[in-house]
Amino acid sequence: MHGTRTSTWTRRGLAAAAAAGSLLTVLTSASSASAAAVTADARLDGSKVVCTSKKPGLAPTLSHDIADALDGRKGASALAVYDRHTGTHCEFRAGSRFDSASVVKVTVLGALLRQAQEAHRALTPQEVRLTTAMITKSDNASTDALWHRLGPAAVRHFLALAGMRDTVPGQGGSWGLTQITAADQLTLMQLLTTDNTVLTRASRGYALDLMHRVAPDQRWGVPAGAPASVSVHVKNGWLPRTAGGWRVHSVGTFTDNGHDYGMAVLSTGSRTMGDGVATVESAARVVHRDLQG
């Protein structure tokens, strides 16, 4: 159970100064672009929420608001956030491992796309059907088929190329017990939203399109509180286990209209799935709010 925080931070950032004239606007923009990043932290349950940002006032705001959002929640959680426009990054227990549940399906998709790239081929019609069902409906049978088709070597190959060094594939057919971290999941979200040598633009576009088209009843989690102007790409996972309660996770990216950020929120030990969803969404709402502020 999350412990009680030692203090509560109540300020909500700095007031914006009015800019007058085009020259001042240019100078202000140049100054912001070259501003040094500031790091701030807030204690939570013996750990720290640590945020770094080039936007004045954002690092302390985010770190304390995330800590407030997770304070008192049942079980354990972890979080990682990036925002390219403000040079922001936040972590809370981002290196802790969790049973993946269905969020690993984005990794399975990435491994398949990489395998197809290396073979210089397009996905087959069957692979298109399987990947679409796996991501948009979180279909387990489709994931089983792709997991066995790929094999552990192909999954590990993709993880190595992607720099997801702390992710450990589940044994045999147990893809849902893959061990993941919030940091590695954020690495994957960043991989999908920037040019890189691992996945082509076409592969990234395919993955993001599927994550944008998830079934309406699965659009909970990190999209909570997202502005209506962004394009949401999300994948969730949920898994009840006899020991340790529910695992409830959500990862996603938010782009378009001047936005380019993403987050991963993982949780375990919730008594019900609803409790886990509430934990994830509580953190997501303050991240969206503060990044738009």
Side-chain angles (χ1 to χ4, degrees):
M1 179 175 182
H2 287 304
T4 301
R5 292 186 52 222
T6 57
S7 64
T8 301
W9 190 83
T10 58
R11 293 183 301 169
R12 298 297 184 199
L14 302 176
S22 59
L23 179 59
L24 181 57
T25 300
V26 170
L27 291 175
T28 301
S29 298
S31 176
S32 296
S34 61
V38 172
T39 299
D41 63 70
R43 287 196 167 275
L44 175 63
D45 195 25
S47 299
K48 289 182 179 180
V49 180
V50 180
C51 293
T52 299
S53 181
K54 291 184 177 181
K55 182 176 179 179
L58 183 55
T61 296
L62 264 175
S63 61
H64 285 83
D65 285 353
I66 291 169
D68 284 345
L70 294 175
D71 188 26
R73 295 284 176 181
K74 297 287 186 180
S77 57
L79 171 146
V81 174
Y82 74 86
D83 178 31
R84 290 194 176 99
H85 290 312
T86 58
T88 299
H89 188 85
C90 293
E91 290 192 349
F92 172 63
R93 292 177 173 167
S96 298
R97 285 196 173 117
F98 293 72
D99 296 331
S100 67
S102 288
V103 295
V104 75
K105 293 172 181 177
V106 183
T107 299
V108 175
L109 176 59
L112 177 66
L113 291 169
R114 177 66 193 189
Q115 186 183 73
Q117 286 176 200
E118 292 182 354
H120 305 289
R121 67 172 181 84
L123 297 185
T124 67
Q126 184 187 37
E127 288 170 337
V128 170
R129 290 194 297 272
L130 290 173
T131 54
T132 299
M134 176 177 69
I135 300 298
T136 66
K137 300 178 182 178
S138 204
D139 183 69
N140 291 337
S142 298
T143 312
D144 289 340
L146 291 169
W147 183 261
H148 289 294
R149 181 175 300 186
L150 284 165
V155 175
R156 287 196 295 267
H157 177 58
F158 174 72
L159 292 171
L161 291 174
M164 299 168 66
R165 298 176 181 84
D166 293 322
T167 299
V168 181
Q171 296 295 310
S174 300
W175 47 262
L177 297 183
T178 295
Q179 297 300 290
I180 62 171
T181 67
D184 274 4
Q185 288 299 298
L186 195 72
T187 294
L188 181 56
M189 296 303 102
Q190 291 172 301
L191 188 76
L192 293 177
T193 54
T194 190
D195 291 338
N196 61 79
T197 60
V198 182
L199 294 176
T200 64
R201 179 171 297 184
S203 291
R204 298 194 312 273
Y206 181 78
L208 289 171
D209 177 64
L210 293 182
M211 293 173 69
H212 181 63
R213 296 192 288 117
V214 297
D217 64 345
Q218 294 183 23
R219 294 181 71 83
W220 49 266
V222 294
S229 60
V230 302
S231 180
V232 174
H233 317 93
V234 63
K235 185 69 194 81
N236 297 323
W238 57 100
L239 175 68
R241 300 198 71 185
T242 302
W246 280 83
R247 281 72 165 154
V248 180
H249 316 312
S250 185
V251 301
T253 70
F254 308 88
T255 58
D256 298 338
N257 296 306
H259 302 290
D260 187 355
Y261 63 98
M263 70 182 96
V265 186
L266 314 181
S267 73
T268 189
S270 293
R271 185 176 57 84
T272 67
M273 179 178 173
D275 289 342
V277 172
T279 293
V280 170
E281 293 190 342
S282 180
R285 285 192 181 92
V286 299
V287 171
H288 288 299
R289 182 192 68 205
D290 290 350
L291 290 180
Q292 306 314 309

